[in-house]
Amino acid sequence: MPAFFLRRLTGRTRTRRANRQLGAFLAFVAGAINAGGFLAIKQYTSHMTGIVSSVADSLVLGNALVVFAGLGALFSFLMGAATTAILINWAR
């Protein structure tokens, strides 16, 4: 990838298009890490995408305990991210 493309995605100011491209790129990387980890050790290895993938697998397999634990972890992550965003914006 050219350095200009990466600078456009990670610079202080980004366009909506750059934000979409960055999101797609990060989602691709997370999916690739999940797939590689699953093939290597039979476990999803990426953080939130791994938990969501594990919840989906457990839902299909009927393992309700893992589904509820995964949903609890996802909810906790979202609440923590929201609280952090509110505190950072308040501190500014």
Side-chain angles (χ1 to χ4, degrees):
M1 288 185 191
F4 174 74
F5 176 73
L6 293 176
R7 270 193 224 112
R8 191 171 57 86
L9 291 183
T10 59
R12 278 189 177 268
T13 58
R14 290 189 305 267
T15 63
R16 282 182 177 240
R17 182 176 181 214
N19 283 339
R20 277 191 230 107
Q21 287 176 334
L22 180 60
F25 182 71
L26 292 174
F28 174 79
V29 169
I33 290 171
N34 268 341
F38 189 75
L39 291 174
I41 60 172
K42 304 293 186 247
Q43 181 71 35
Y44 294 110
T45 56
S46 185
H47 184 51
M48 279 297 110
T49 55
I51 288 176
V52 172
S53 298
S54 180
V55 166
D57 274 354
S58 298
L59 189 62
V60 169
L61 296 174
N63 192 350
L65 183 62
V66 176
V67 171
F68 290 125
L71 290 176
L74 180 62
F75 179 75
S76 297
F77 174 79
L78 291 174
M79 291 300 101
T83 303
T84 301
I86 289 168
L87 289 174
I88 288 172
N89 285 323
W90 175 74
R92 285 183 181 173

